[in-house]
Amino acid sequence: MEIQIIFLLVTGAIMSENGSAQSIDLENWMRDLPEQLKYIPLIYLAIPGSHDSMTYGITRNSSLAPDAEPILKKLYPLFKGTILRWTITQAFDALQQLLIGIRYLDLRLATKTGVDQFFFTHGMYADEISKPLQQVKDFVDQHPHEVVILDFQHFYGFTSEDHQKLIRYVLNLFGPQLVPRQPDLNGVTLNSLYRLRQQVIVVYRHPSVLSTGEFWQPQMLPSPWPQQDSIRGLLDFLKNVKRHPGMGFVHQAVLTPTPGFIIFRWISNLRERCAKPVKNEIYPKLAEFTPGRPADQNGPTPVNVIIADFVEMDNSIFSKSVIQLNMKLIRNSDSITHSYG
């Protein structure tokens, strides 16, 4: 079975209900999942996501943002190009990411002095938020079976008024398409969301989340940071991290370069030194992971959302690898609806 799964990952095929292989339509992969899987809670499916999703918007014209490390502020005037190479983690914009199967976006925001707008950030300012979020809105409007998770991870320079302004903006943009916060996530399935015409889950990692019932609290989708700069350390983290059985979870399949790591690779970039090693050494091992409900605290943790850098590499092999993991849930297809119903 593992050999078969690896073959399917390489070829970009997905198993249909009758066991035959077919190519993945990444733009509509949730729509095309076998019907049994659409009754499984979303928190027990394997979902590809992007790490620092909006860094594609960082350019040579970008300025330092409030989340910049102190060392960046000192080095920026002399080594702007190098800092750019180690700050950008994605090449595709929000819409392009969604079209290649990404269904989770990792969002970090900052205010800017003298400007009444919010910007995406990762040490340096990326785009103002309205265009990328409108791309998400347009995508879900045109793809009624697809569900997108927007994880508002960090807020820099925000006041309580800024939070309320941002919350109102997101509520107005997505309106009834939002999946409300609820005590039992087992009822949140692709089929139930399609019936309700709900397609956007917003996780808001700030106490202001309590001002609305439309956003999910952080504990509903924990996203522990591996903080590893080696493949061995990252793989060990991914295999041993634990999750709560009633909540979603984010596995971060990313390396984190320390200042010392970067100094010895000064003329290189994050794509070559972090993203490509993960692609070459971690992606093939994804076939060893399984989605589903956590059962044994002593066993491996089932995956839910998995995120990575430069998700477009090698013809979107990351998205295909993660989506294919869902086919493992069909092994017990006769009892699958009963088990999760």
Side-chain angles (χ1 to χ4, degrees), residues 177-297:
Q177 291 172 308
L178 291 167
V179 181
R181 181 166 69 246
Q182 42 209 282
D184 185 2
L185 300 183
N186 285 294
V188 181
T189 68
L190 289 176
N191 268 347
S192 69
L193 295 180
Y194 179 70
R195 288 195 303 270
L196 294 168
R197 298 297 189 265
Q198 295 173 350
Q199 296 177 261
V200 180
I201 295 171
V202 170
V203 182
Y204 202 85
R205 299 182 189 271
H206 186 270
S208 298
V209 67
L210 298 178
S211 67
T212 176
E214 302 303 305
F215 294 175
W216 290 20
Q217 293 170 276
Q219 62 267 31
M220 300 170 75
L221 195 72
S223 181
W225 182 24
Q227 203 168 355
Q228 299 290 331
D229 63 4
S230 73
I231 289 294
R232 178 176 294 182
L234 175 59
L235 185 60
D236 184 65
F237 177 89
L238 295 175
K239 287 185 173 181
N240 292 291
V241 67
K242 301 300 179 184
R243 58 177 288 198
H244 188 284
M247 301 296 173
F249 197 79
V250 179
H251 276 81
Q252 298 192 23
V254 296
L255 291 176
T256 303
T258 62
F261 183 97
I262 295 174
I263 286 173
F264 287 105
R265 300 160 182 84
W266 195 249
I267 63 173
S268 189
N269 56 60
L270 189 143
R271 183 186 185 99
E272 294 296 324
R273 294 297 185 171
C274 294
K276 284 190 175 180
V278 169
K279 173 182 67 70
N280 295 335
E281 301 185 55
I282 298 292
Y283 290 6
K285 295 185 180 299
L286 288 180
E288 301 173 10
F289 290 79
T290 304
R293 188 199 307 271
D296 183 2
Q297 286 296 316

Side-chain angles (χ1 to χ4, degrees), residues 50-56 89-90 106 108 121-122 307 309:
S50 58
H51 171 246
D52 270 312
S53 304
M54 301 301 176
T55 55
Y56 63 85
T89 66
Q90 302 297 336
D106 167 14
R108 293 111 189 277
T121 181
H122 184 218
I307 65 175
D309 293 325

Side-chain angles (χ1 to χ4, degrees), residues 162-181:
D162 290 326
H163 279 290
Q164 292 308 312
K165 179 181 175 181
L166 175 61
I167 288 171
R168 287 193 301 271
Y169 178 83
V170 175
L171 289 172
N172 290 334
L173 180 61
F174 296 107
Q177 291 172 308
L178 291 167
V179 181
R181 181 166 69 246

